[in-house]
Amino acid sequence: MKPIQRRSKIAEAVDSYGAMSVDALASRFEVSAETIRRDLGRLADSGALQKVHGGARPLRLHTEGSFRERMAEDAAAKLVIADKLAHLVEPGDTIFVDTGSTTVICARALAGVGNLTVITNSIRVAEMIGQTATNTVYLLGGAFGGDNGETSGPMVLDQIALFQADHAVIAVAAIDADVGAMDADFAEAQVARAMMAASRQTIVLAHGTKLRRKAAFRVCRLDQIDVLVCDLTPDIGFRTSLSAAGCALQ
């Protein structure tokens, strides 16, 4: 068995059994304990599981900190994503943009595209893109969340259905080859799904640390994503899953 195949099977075993020791994994896969430790290190780095003393256990579902905390996390990676996204959107496009630290950072780059029609539930995104006179911005109204500066709830979902867009630009908390894109907030996941349903193309934004994470609320399957914009090139296993799902990587 090739190392990449063995690591995939190790992740599946840990996910199934809840927790496994190094010795149990070494016996199961007929390799040395040292090989298993290296495998667990690689899997932990990729976010596939949590390495603990003497073994591994399934990764806990990802939760998010405050908006201020998230704005400070992986800022350089989000700038790379912003630059890539700006090349996917053309003047004259109509786009949904949901809330998130990544979409806020991307908003400055989108504003520079010009002549956009933007529908968003994020006050920060609306302010940033609306500063360019050639852009038209529609801010969705609903229940207000002060930390994220966002609106959500039934009123927002009803308003989304009144629009049709070229692109839905969605920031997610986690993305996994088997589960797809996920969010840590139920209301935000609902908004993302509604935006996708009213758009011709779905563009998901996820920096490298979000790959192979899992969060509580599924947004969509991998094959429902048209383009994944990431700051780095995922490993071959993840790229294979993207290709099989018909999801382009930027």
Side-chain angles (χ1 to χ4, degrees):
M1 184 183 297
K2 294 181 179 180
I4 191 169
Q5 295 172 319
R6 183 179 63 249
R7 287 193 287 271
S8 177
K9 295 293 185 183
I10 289 171
E12 289 176 6
V14 171
D15 192 52
S16 296
Y17 289 98
M20 295 191 74
S21 68
V22 168
D23 290 342
L25 288 166
S27 175
R28 184 184 183 93
F29 293 98
E30 299 180 340
V31 294
S32 69
E34 187 57 35
T35 295
I36 291 296
R37 290 189 185 96
R38 287 196 297 269
D39 285 341
L40 294 181
R42 293 282 294 275
L43 288 165
D45 288 343
S46 71
L49 49 72
Q50 183 178 12
K51 188 178 180 182
V52 296
H53 180 69
R57 64 186 180 192
L59 193 68
R60 293 188 177 93
L61 292 178
H62 179 70
T63 57
E64 293 186 322
S66 70
F67 187 81
R68 183 186 295 273
E69 290 170 338
R70 286 182 283 124
M71 283 296 290
E73 294 170 353
D74 302 293
K78 293 170 185 176
L79 287 172
V80 172
I81 289 172
D83 182 65
K84 291 183 177 183
L85 176 62
H87 288 86
L88 294 175
V89 177
E90 299 181 354
D93 281 352
T94 297
I95 62 174
F96 283 110
V97 181
D98 76 349
T99 191
S101 60
T102 303
T103 49
V104 168
I105 289 175
C106 287
R108 185 181 299 276
L110 289 174
V113 173
N115 198 30
L116 296 176
T117 298
V118 175
I119 308 107
T120 183
N121 67 323
S122 167
I123 287 179
R124 295 182 178 96
V125 169
E127 288 178 335
M128 185 68 67
I129 298 178
Q131 289 175 10
T132 301
T134 60
N135 294 325
T136 301
V137 177
Y138 293 91
L139 180 60
L140 300 166
F144 180 65
D147 181 50
N148 283 340
E150 66 174 336
T151 57
S152 62
M155 290 176 64
V156 171
L157 302 181
D158 288 345
Q159 290 168 64
I160 289 171
L162 300 175
F163 296 90
Q164 286 293 308
D166 296 297
H167 315 285
V169 178
I170 305 298
V172 298
I175 185 165
D176 176 82
D178 296 323
V179 179
M182 292 154 278
D183 211 313
D185 183 274
F186 176 71
E188 290 179 9
Q190 284 187 309
V191 169
R193 287 195 293 269
M195 288 180 171
M196 290 171 57
S199 300
R200 178 179 55 82
Q201 183 187 59
T202 295
I203 301 173
V204 167
L205 315 178
H207 53 78
T209 58
K210 294 185 177 182
L211 304 183
R212 300 191 183 280
R213 275 183 184 171
K214 290 185 179 178
F217 306 102
R218 181 193 241 178
V219 174
C220 64
R221 302 186 310 271
L222 216 58
D223 62 5
Q224 294 173 294
I225 303 170
D226 296 295
V227 183
L228 171 64
V229 184
C230 189
D231 62 300
L232 51 74
T233 301
D235 62 57
I236 183 62
F238 202 92
R239 295 201 307 273
T240 299
S241 296
L242 291 174
S243 179
C247 176
L249 176 66
Q250 292 290 328

